[in-house]
Amino acid sequence: TTSLKEQPVSKNSLTNFRTAVYRYNEENGVDLIQQEVESHAEEFTKLLNIKDRTVRMDSMMISSSCKKLSRLEIIYSCVSRLIVEINKEDASLLSEKFKVYLKEEHRNDTIYRCKDKDLDSKMKLLTADAIELFSLCRGTSLEPSDDYQLLARMLGEQTLISEGICELKPSKEISPESLQNPTDPDATYRRKANKNYIGYTANFAESFDEQHRIITHYDLQPNT
């Protein structure tokens, strides 16, 4: 419809539709778009008289729309998101040390103005704040929240507790299935053909004969 002077459908309508479909999938575990696509494919297969006896499969990498974050950014994001959540629920729980995370310039000062020689110390300080927040919110109404669960997951993936002391894991020990970005917690990391990917693998099944071919099934899986 790019040739039309006025678009026949609002962008908001498409956004709201995507949101509704996504929410339905989250609540019911059913992908309505996939059902619709595969239902159409089944009907077209009948019309084209494809016997569905010859099938080939393929896969491709699907990148997440989330930003690629450094390890420092992942830890910071989990801490700052939970602090924002606590501030909404009960600001009195936050000490002055945590309130600085609410300032707009704090992220830039912590991450983008961080020198290489200060990286380890910054990560250790952020991790200490994460552990304190984890204990602060445990057993409260904030514990079931997504932001608390993401912080708990991050600590489990990024740190190692030995003899009661919590330390950062060496980078090489971080799993490719670890949290890549809090905005897309299901996305995973993979290196394929000398390229780095954060996202998913799309798998396709195509039915065909000598004259016709059609994709009849697809799914998305972690790229690991």
Side-chain angles (χ1 to χ4, degrees):
T1 61
T2 53
S3 62
L4 300 179
K5 291 183 179 180
E6 291 186 12
Q7 288 297 309
V9 61
S10 166
K11 288 183 179 179
N12 289 339
S13 296
L14 298 175
T15 300
N16 293 337
F17 176 72
R18 286 182 60 185
T19 301
V21 169
Y22 177 79
R23 186 179 298 119
Y24 187 90
N25 192 6
E26 286 287 290
E27 294 173 355
N28 301 282
V30 177
D31 186 341
L32 296 173
I33 298 295
Q34 182 175 2
Q35 282 191 350
E36 189 71 9
V37 169
E38 293 184 352
S39 175
H40 281 304
E42 184 179 356
E43 293 302 315
F44 281 121
T45 300
K46 293 175 182 176
L47 288 170
L48 295 171
N49 199 30
I50 301 175
K51 299 303 182 183
D52 202 25
R53 297 183 65 179
T54 311
V55 180
R56 56 186 160 211
M57 295 180 64
D58 200 357
S59 64
M60 64 184 294
M61 308 297 284
I62 302 291
S63 295
S64 169
S65 61
C66 70
K67 179 185 175 185
K68 185 181 186 302
L69 300 183
S70 67
R71 192 176 181 186
L72 179 67
E73 287 176 297
I74 292 170
I75 299 172
Y76 182 91
S77 296
C78 289
V79 171
S80 62
R81 285 167 66 101
L82 182 55
I83 288 173
V84 170
E85 184 74 18
I86 296 171
N87 191 54
K88 290 178 183 177
E89 292 290 322
D90 187 356
S92 65
L93 293 173
L94 294 174
S95 64
E96 291 302 317
K97 176 178 69 172
F98 290 129
K99 288 181 180 178
V100 297
Y101 283 86
L102 300 171
K103 297 180 180 179
E104 190 172 337
E105 65 274 12
H106 186 262
R107 183 184 183 91
N108 287 341
D109 290 341
T110 304
I111 296 173
Y112 302 114
R113 298 190 179 101
C114 178
K115 298 179 181 178
D116 290 343
K117 65 183 179 65
D118 300 326
L119 186 59
D120 285 345
S121 60
K122 280 279 180 72
M123 286 202 295
K124 288 177 181 178
L125 286 172
L126 286 172
T127 304
D129 286 349
I131 293 170
E132 190 173 338
L133 285 172
F134 177 80
S135 299
L136 178 69
C137 298
R138 186 166 54 186
T140 70
S141 59
L142 287 159
E143 187 169 352
S145 71
D146 290 342
D147 292 320
Y148 179 85
Q149 295 300 321
L150 285 171
L151 181 113
R153 174 184 170 185
M154 180 276 294
L155 284 173
E157 294 170 344
Q158 297 282 343
T159 64
L160 184 65
I161 298 177
S162 176
E163 298 180 356
I165 299 174
C166 185
E167 297 181 341
L168 284 164
K169 290 181 180 178
S171 297
K172 62 182 180 181
E173 294 183 13
I174 303 298
S175 168
E177 295 184 359
S178 65
L179 183 68
Q180 303 295 312
N181 189 317
T183 62
D184 191 352
D186 295 329
T188 49
Y189 171 84
R190 184 176 178 183
R191 185 170 177 81
K192 182 179 181 182
N194 294 322
K195 290 185 179 180
N196 299 326
Y197 297 91
I198 293 176
Y200 308 86
T201 296
N203 303 300
F204 305 94
E206 181 185 56
S207 298
F208 66 99
D209 57 21
E210 293 180 357
Q211 292 181 303
H212 306 292
R213 62 189 60 139
I214 187 168
I215 292 175
T216 51
H217 302 285
Y218 74 89
D219 74 350
L220 287 174
Q221 297 294 337
N223 66 16
T224 51

PDB file of all heavy atoms in Angstrom, residues 67-83:
ATOM      1  N   LYS A  67      18.916  -4.690  22.027  1.00  0.00           N
ATOM      2  CA  LYS A  67      20.277  -4.192  21.866  1.00  0.00           C
ATOM      3  C   LYS A  67      21.270  -5.190  22.451  1.00  0.00           C
ATOM      4  O   LYS A  67      20.996  -5.817  23.475  1.00  0.00           O
ATOM      5  CB  LYS A  67      20.407  -2.846  22.572  1.00  0.00           C
ATOM      6  CG  LYS A  67      21.786  -2.225  22.489  1.00  0.00           C
ATOM      7  CD  LYS A  67      21.856  -0.955  23.318  1.00  0.00           C
ATOM      8  CE  LYS A  67      23.270  -0.387  23.336  1.00  0.00           C
ATOM      9  NZ  LYS A  67      23.379   0.787  24.234  1.00  0.00           N
ATOM     10  N   LYS A  68      22.419  -5.331  21.792  1.00  0.00           N
ATOM     11  CA  LYS A  68      23.470  -6.179  22.332  1.00  0.00           C
ATOM     12  C   LYS A  68      24.130  -5.449  23.504  1.00  0.00           C
ATOM     13  O   LYS A  68      24.629  -4.338  23.356  1.00  0.00           O
ATOM     14  CB  LYS A  68      24.521  -6.492  21.261  1.00  0.00           C
ATOM     15  CG  LYS A  68      25.597  -7.474  21.729  1.00  0.00           C
ATOM     16  CD  LYS A  68      26.604  -7.729  20.638  1.00  0.00           C
ATOM     17  CE  LYS A  68      27.601  -8.813  21.037  1.00  0.00           C
ATOM     18  NZ  LYS A  68      28.336  -8.477  22.290  1.00  0.00           N
ATOM     19  N   LEU A  69      24.110  -6.066  24.669  1.00  0.00           N
ATOM     20  CA  LEU A  69      24.644  -5.443  25.876  1.00  0.00           C
ATOM     21  C   LEU A  69      25.945  -6.094  26.303  1.00  0.00           C
ATOM     22  O   LEU A  69      26.143  -7.294  26.141  1.00  0.00           O
ATOM     23  CB  LEU A  69      23.630  -5.552  27.028  1.00  0.00           C
ATOM     24  CG  LEU A  69      22.264  -4.911  26.834  1.00  0.00           C
ATOM     25  CD1 LEU A  69      21.437  -5.059  28.107  1.00  0.00           C
ATOM     26  CD2 LEU A  69      22.382  -3.444  26.447  1.00  0.00           C
ATOM     27  N   SER A  70      26.839  -5.282  26.856  1.00  0.00           N
ATOM     28  CA  SER A  70      28.039  -5.814  27.479  1.00  0.00           C
ATOM     29  C   SER A  70      27.647  -6.452  28.811  1.00  0.00           C
ATOM     30  O   SER A  70      26.527  -6.280  29.308  1.00  0.00           O
ATOM     31  CB  SER A  70      29.052  -4.692  27.715  1.00  0.00           C
ATOM     32  OG  SER A  70      28.549  -3.782  28.689  1.00  0.00           O
ATOM     33  N   ARG A  71      28.579  -7.162  29.396  1.00  0.00           N
ATOM     34  CA  ARG A  71      28.309  -7.791  30.694  1.00  0.00           C
ATOM     35  C   ARG A  71      27.987  -6.732  31.746  1.00  0.00           C
ATOM     36  O   ARG A  71      27.079  -6.911  32.566  1.00  0.00           O
ATOM     37  CB  ARG A  71      29.526  -8.613  31.108  1.00  0.00           C
ATOM     38  CG  ARG A  71      29.279  -9.537  32.279  1.00  0.00           C
ATOM     39  CD  ARG A  71      30.495 -10.380  32.568  1.00  0.00           C
ATOM     40  NE  ARG A  71      30.260 -11.278  33.684  1.00  0.00           N
ATOM     41  CZ  ARG A  71      31.187 -12.051  34.227  1.00  0.00           C
ATOM     42  NH1 ARG A  71      32.418 -12.032  33.739  1.00  0.00           N
ATOM     43  NH2 ARG A  71      30.903 -12.828  35.243  1.00  0.00           N
ATOM     44  N   LEU A  72      28.707  -5.625  31.718  1.00  0.00           N
ATOM     45  CA  LEU A  72      28.447  -4.528  32.645  1.00  0.00           C
ATOM     46  C   LEU A  72      27.038  -3.986  32.465  1.00  0.00           C
ATOM     47  O   LEU A  72      26.321  -3.734  33.451  1.00  0.00           O
ATOM     48  CB  LEU A  72      29.478  -3.408  32.419  1.00  0.00           C
ATOM     49  CG  LEU A  72      29.345  -2.160  33.297  1.00  0.00           C
ATOM     50  CD1 LEU A  72      29.640  -2.492  34.749  1.00  0.00           C
ATOM     51  CD2 LEU A  72      30.275  -1.053  32.794  1.00  0.00           C
ATOM     52  N   GLU A  73      26.607  -3.827  31.219  1.00  0.00           N
ATOM     53  CA  GLU A  73      25.271  -3.289  30.937  1.00  0.00           C
ATOM     54  C   GLU A  73      24.174  -4.244  31.395  1.00  0.00           C
ATOM     55  O   GLU A  73      23.119  -3.810  31.871  1.00  0.00           O
ATOM     56  CB  GLU A  73      25.127  -3.007  29.442  1.00  0.00           C
ATOM     57  CG  GLU A  73      25.901  -1.805  28.956  1.00  0.00           C
ATOM     58  CD  GLU A  73      25.796  -1.623  27.450  1.00  0.00           C
ATOM     59  OE1 GLU A  73      26.259  -2.516  26.723  1.00  0.00           O
ATOM     60  OE2 GLU A  73      25.253  -0.598  27.021  1.00  0.00           O
ATOM     61  N   ILE A  74      24.398  -5.547  31.238  1.00  0.00           N
ATOM     62  CA  ILE A  74      23.395  -6.525  31.673  1.00  0.00           C
ATOM     63  C   ILE A  74      23.180  -6.428  33.180  1.00  0.00           C
ATOM     64  O   ILE A  74      22.033  -6.376  33.667  1.00  0.00           O
ATOM     65  CB  ILE A  74      23.820  -7.951  31.284  1.00  0.00           C
ATOM     66  CG1 ILE A  74      23.791  -8.130  29.764  1.00  0.00           C
ATOM     67  CG2 ILE A  74      22.908  -8.991  31.944  1.00  0.00           C
ATOM     68  CD1 ILE A  74      24.412  -9.423  29.275  1.00  0.00           C
ATOM     69  N   ILE A  75      24.282  -6.386  33.932  1.00  0.00           N
ATOM     70  CA  ILE A  75      24.168  -6.298  35.391  1.00  0.00           C
ATOM     71  C   ILE A  75      23.504  -4.983  35.781  1.00  0.00           C
ATOM     72  O   ILE A  75      22.581  -4.951  36.607  1.00  0.00           O
ATOM     73  CB  ILE A  75      25.565  -6.421  36.046  1.00  0.00           C
ATOM     74  CG1 ILE A  75      26.186  -7.779  35.714  1.00  0.00           C
ATOM     75  CG2 ILE A  75      25.463  -6.250  37.561  1.00  0.00           C
ATOM     76  CD1 ILE A  75      27.640  -7.923  36.159  1.00  0.00           C
ATOM     77  N   TYR A  76      23.951  -3.889  35.173  1.00  0.00           N
ATOM     78  CA  TYR A  76      23.381  -2.573  35.494  1.00  0.00           C
ATOM     79  C   TYR A  76      21.887  -2.531  35.178  1.00  0.00           C
ATOM     80  O   TYR A  76      21.092  -2.024  35.978  1.00  0.00           O
ATOM     81  CB  TYR A  76      24.106  -1.473  34.718  1.00  0.00           C
ATOM     82  CG  TYR A  76      23.587  -0.088  35.054  1.00  0.00           C
ATOM     83  CD1 TYR A  76      24.161   0.648  36.075  1.00  0.00           C
ATOM     84  CD2 TYR A  76      22.502   0.449  34.371  1.00  0.00           C
ATOM     85  CE1 TYR A  76      23.667   1.908  36.404  1.00  0.00           C
ATOM     86  CE2 TYR A  76      21.998   1.696  34.691  1.00  0.00           C
ATOM     87  CZ  TYR A  76      22.590   2.427  35.713  1.00  0.00           C
ATOM     88  OH  TYR A  76      22.080   3.662  36.047  1.00  0.00           O
ATOM     89  N   SER A  77      21.500  -3.043  34.016  1.00  0.00           N
ATOM     90  CA  SER A  77      20.096  -2.993  33.601  1.00  0.00           C
ATOM     91  C   SER A  77      19.192  -3.737  34.576  1.00  0.00           C
ATOM     92  O   SER A  77      18.104  -3.256  34.920  1.00  0.00           O
ATOM     93  CB  SER A  77      19.935  -3.575  32.194  1.00  0.00           C
ATOM     94  OG  SER A  77      20.631  -2.801  31.248  1.00  0.00           O
ATOM     95  N   CYS A  78      19.638  -4.903  35.039  1.00  0.00           N
ATOM     96  CA  CYS A  78      18.839  -5.682  35.985  1.00  0.00           C
ATOM     97  C   CYS A  78      18.687  -4.941  37.312  1.00  0.00           C
ATOM     98  O   CYS A  78      17.601  -4.932  37.904  1.00  0.00           O
ATOM     99  CB  CYS A  78      19.472  -7.052  36.215  1.00  0.00           C
ATOM    100  SG  CYS A  78      19.343  -8.159  34.798  1.00  0.00           S
ATOM    101  N   VAL A  79      19.771  -4.312  37.763  1.00  0.00           N
ATOM    102  CA  VAL A  79      19.722  -3.564  39.018  1.00  0.00           C
ATOM    103  C   VAL A  79      18.812  -2.345  38.880  1.00  0.00           C
ATOM    104  O   VAL A  79      17.922  -2.116  39.718  1.00  0.00           O
ATOM    105  CB  VAL A  79      21.143  -3.124  39.438  1.00  0.00           C
ATOM    106  CG1 VAL A  79      21.090  -2.147  40.620  1.00  0.00           C
ATOM    107  CG2 VAL A  79      21.980  -4.336  39.810  1.00  0.00           C
ATOM    108  N   SER A  80      19.011  -1.561  37.830  1.00  0.00           N
ATOM    109  CA  SER A  80      18.253  -0.312  37.678  1.00  0.00           C
ATOM    110  C   SER A  80      16.769  -0.571  37.451  1.00  0.00           C
ATOM    111  O   SER A  80      15.921   0.171  37.960  1.00  0.00           O
ATOM    112  CB  SER A  80      18.829   0.523  36.529  1.00  0.00           C
ATOM    113  OG  SER A  80      18.728  -0.151  35.292  1.00  0.00           O
ATOM    114  N   ARG A  81      16.425  -1.623  36.708  1.00  0.00           N
ATOM    115  CA  ARG A  81      15.010  -1.936  36.464  1.00  0.00           C
ATOM    116  C   ARG A  81      14.302  -2.291  37.767  1.00  0.00           C
ATOM    117  O   ARG A  81      13.159  -1.867  37.993  1.00  0.00           O
ATOM    118  CB  ARG A  81      14.891  -3.101  35.460  1.00  0.00           C
ATOM    119  CG  ARG A  81      15.187  -2.704  34.024  1.00  0.00           C
ATOM    120  CD  ARG A  81      15.353  -3.942  33.159  1.00  0.00           C
ATOM    121  NE  ARG A  81      14.126  -4.690  33.048  1.00  0.00           N
ATOM    122  CZ  ARG A  81      13.299  -4.657  32.002  1.00  0.00           C
ATOM    123  NH1 ARG A  81      13.601  -3.900  30.967  1.00  0.00           N
ATOM    124  NH2 ARG A  81      12.206  -5.384  31.970  1.00  0.00           N
ATOM    125  N   LEU A  82      14.966  -3.057  38.620  1.00  0.00           N
ATOM    126  CA  LEU A  82      14.338  -3.426  39.886  1.00  0.00           C
ATOM    127  C   LEU A  82      14.209  -2.199  40.793  1.00  0.00           C
ATOM    128  O   LEU A  82      13.208  -2.054  41.500  1.00  0.00           O
ATOM    129  CB  LEU A  82      15.135  -4.522  40.580  1.00  0.00           C
ATOM    130  CG  LEU A  82      14.542  -5.035  41.906  1.00  0.00           C
ATOM    131  CD1 LEU A  82      13.103  -5.506  41.732  1.00  0.00           C
ATOM    132  CD2 LEU A  82      15.400  -6.154  42.478  1.00  0.00           C
ATOM    133  N   ILE A  83      15.187  -1.312  40.765  1.00  0.00           N
ATOM    134  CA  ILE A  83      15.110  -0.096  41.576  1.00  0.00           C
ATOM    135  C   ILE A  83      13.931   0.774  41.145  1.00  0.00           C
ATOM    136  O   ILE A  83      13.203   1.329  41.974  1.00  0.00           O
ATOM    137  CB  ILE A  83      16.441   0.685  41.494  1.00  0.00           C
ATOM    138  CG1 ILE A  83      17.522  -0.064  42.281  1.00  0.00           C
ATOM    139  CG2 ILE A  83      16.283   2.107  42.013  1.00  0.00           C
ATOM    140  CD1 ILE A  83      18.908   0.516  42.142  1.00  0.00           C
TER     141      ILE A  83
END
